Amino acid sequence: MRILGIETSCDETAAAVVEDGTRIRSNIVASQVEIHARYGGIVPEIASRQHLLCVIPILQKALTEAGVDINSLAAIAVTNGPGLAGSLLVGVNLAKSLALAYDLPLIGVNHLEGHIYANWIEEEGKNGLPEFPLLCLIVSGGHTDLVLMEDHGQYRQLGRTRDDAAGEAFDKVARILGLGYPGGPVIERVAKGALSPFRLPRAWLAGNDDFSFSGLKTAVFQMTRDQGITGESATSQMAVEIAAGFQEAVVDVLVTKTVGVARRYSVKQILLAGGVAANDELRQTMIRCSSLPVLIPSPVLCTDNAAMIAACGYFRLKAGKISGWDMDVKPGLKLV
Ligand code: KG4
Ligand code: ZN
């Protein structure tokens, strides 16, 4: 059963064809990162206009690469939230038009649920398929959530960030250090192999399973000001050491809390999902510190893509969860 996935929630225009929710036939992503980098962050109107320009060529490329005709698809799955309203509208309108024209079921997918379902996609070297109950750590630009998943589509939120999301903290700290945008990949790159003499603060929020990263960001800001690092200091040794100390603190908190919660809820596995799960330091540390199997999609399936939306769409279709023509974009859509 082949599903076409469409993803335009933020600054990536993506289309993919996935078979039976697990095998990728095509997975095309057009990133707008270079356009937004000029502004130091995402400009919503530019993002939606860019989606309009790219979405049809990306769709055509995904279908051609998969070698499938639209008529042979089982359904069209599309992200309808959370995300930027103007960006979401582009994908949702295209999905509705295709579903109407080709008489196919339309499936609205929660972007965060999509990130989780990237773990069902078969990949070389993958450590098996997910087994319930499992604990999922979703770490993206807008979210840091600990979610207990007891079955397909059944979620219980156990923890969340109280302020900045992990990815947001990476982006803001990179900006403070003058390292550019997006912050996650650049911090990972400069921090690789760097030893930090700085021990940055960790917000443990004793007694509950939430996260907080804004204090850490403020600590970086103060340290940077005290050391006289400015926006032009991208290559300074001090900026690199602060970046390494920051990454170490984020990874320490994410891993320690996730492993502790997994033990308390007696889950079978830990899953990582979302853009920050592409971070090698986080991936390796989680695997090293967990006595349970840890499943993590390959880095390209952690950051925004449409294969994860098609994978999730397959399981929703199997559960009979089809959307109506009144399906709307929901910028603030929640998982639970
Ligand atoms: O999931 P995603 O692609 O988009 C959202 O749904 O938000 O996540 C984007 C976030 C950005 O904040 C980006 O800086 C971060 O993921 N990110 C990383 C890495 N790659 C992307 N953070 C740390 N290390 C990385 N390698
Ligand atoms: Zn995402």
Side-chain angles (χ1 to χ4, degrees), residues 171-239:
D171 295 336
K172 286 178 175 169
V173 162
R175 193 176 314 156
I176 293 170
L177 295 173
L179 294 170
Y181 172 86
V186 72
I187 287 183
E188 173 170 9
R189 184 168 48 76
V190 302
K192 196 152 227 105
L195 284 177
S196 181
F198 304 109
R199 180 159 173 97
L200 283 131
R202 278 95 163 129
W204 294 111
L205 306 181
N208 74 72
D209 302 322
D210 285 347
F211 299 96
S212 166
F213 296 108
S214 70
L216 174 59
K217 174 193 65 190
T218 306
V220 169
F221 177 73
Q222 282 166 349
M223 191 176 273
T224 308
R225 195 190 48 197
D226 295 348
Q227 304 291 341
I229 297 174
T230 66
E232 283 78 49
S233 309
T235 52
S236 92
Q237 187 57 25
M238 191 80 76

Side-chain angles (χ1 to χ4, degrees), residues 9-12 111-112 115 139-143 166-171 181-188 247 273-280 302-305 308:
S9 67
C10 195
D11 61 342
E12 258 98 28
H111 181 79
L112 300 172
H115 273 304
V139 268
S140 69
H143 293 82
E168 187 181 358
F170 269 96
D171 295 336
Y181 172 86
V186 72
I187 287 183
E188 173 170 9
Q247 179 175 263
V276 182
N279 184 283
D280 199 48
C302 287
T303 47
D304 287 352
N305 66 86
M308 66 186 197

